[in-house]
Amino acid sequence: MTIHLLVLILLAQGALVAGQVFLKHGMNLTRSPVGGAARIVGILLAGIGLLTLWFLLWMGLLQKLDLSYVYPFEGLSPVLLVLAACAILKESLGWKSWTGVGLITLGTIVVGLS
Amino acid sequence: MEHPSPPTPAGPGTPARLHWGWNPYLHLALNGLLVTASELLLKRGAMATAQIPGSAWLDSLGLTILGSWWVWAGIACYVVSFVNWLHVLRWIPLSVAFPLASVVHALIPLGAWMFLDERLSPLRWGGIVLIMAGIWLIAEPLTHAEETL
């Protein structure tokens, strides 16, 4: 695999994670008194835009590479997303949940490789 | 659940004042089923339209697939799953909801095996078991949290 494609895969994962963080932030604001409607809609649209970018990047990768090659990378998304949720949204997880995230990642990679 | 607690700004709390039908964990489970249904319906539609000779330009864009009702049902499931996902995110932390939503990586191969007659290798069965074990580790402590609400 060339560096070029690896960068594209990481870019796609980054767009997915960022998109979900935007959606979560926007939905958190719907429960907070400081969130104005226009601001919430803007944040949600940014999230939808990032998820669209992820979808297009993913489709582009699938045109160039076999599904069995790209799919295992899908397993990275729960780990990256939980790390982002902890760092940016100040969420926290217990050791049991971290083990669960690890098993899901491993399982997704195995399903993708098989 | 008798004592409604004031909603915390971003906490994991369940909306105690809402009807049970709005329970975010119920909607998270529904999300997994909707995404799985959407993928299986799209695959079914793609298989149904693969044999139909369409015009060349429609074919090159992959648009002949839109002639199948299976595909439109799949798209509808996908749209509903997105709205339903926003409801989930309103109440459940992202670091809990997203890993649990990964259940689709187990449900889609299982659905393909059950409804589309696809074969699963032993390794793939192993992966499905790993994913379900991970889901259990995250979901099981939540059932205790729900009881103490």
Side-chain angles (χ1 to χ4, degrees), chain B residues 27-49:
Chain B
H27 278 259
L28 184 52
L30 197 64
N31 184 264
L33 294 178
L34 281 168
V35 171
T36 303
S38 130
E39 296 286 340
L40 295 178
L41 288 165
L42 288 175
K43 173 67 180 170
R44 186 86 185 237
M47 290 194 300
T49 51

Side-chain angles (χ1 to χ4, degrees), chain B residues 107-123:
Chain B
L107 290 182
I108 291 170
L110 281 175
W113 173 66
M114 277 162 55
F115 301 114
L116 301 175
D117 295 322
E118 291 185 14
R119 295 179 131 267
L120 303 183
S121 68
L123 194 60

Side-chain angles (χ1 to χ4, degrees), chain B residues 7 17 20 114:
Chain B
R17 292 157 293 122
W20 65 266
M114 277 162 55

